[in-house]
Amino acid sequence: MAQNNTITFYDLALSTGATISPFVWAHKYALKHKSFDLAVAPRQLIERMKR
C-alpha cells in the first residue's frame, strides 16, 4: 500500500476564493471519504490559460 496518500487537487476558483463548479465539492468529499489527504491548490482560469 502506498505510504503517501496526498493528492494535489487543483481547484478552479474565482478571485473571491469561491469554487465555480458544484462537482468540485463532490470530488473533494469522495476523496476524503477514501482517506486521501488533499493539498488544495486554488487556481483561477487566467492562471490556467497562461501555462
Side-chain angles (χ1 to χ4, degrees):
M1 181 122 192
Q3 296 296 324
N4 186 2
N5 288 337
T6 303
I7 295 175
T8 303
F9 192 82
Y10 294 99
D11 192 0
L12 189 59
L14 298 174
S15 60
T16 60
T19 58
I20 294 174
S21 174
F23 298 106
V24 171
W25 284 103
H27 285 91
K28 283 183 185 179
Y29 287 134
L31 290 170
K32 278 295 204 184
H33 176 73
K34 295 291 183 181
S35 299
F36 285 98
D37 294 326
L38 292 179
V40 179
R43 297 283 188 250
Q44 293 181 353
L45 188 59
I46 302 244
E47 293 175 13
R48 174 75 172 115
M49 295 173 80
K50 287 180 182 177
R51 294 179 96 200

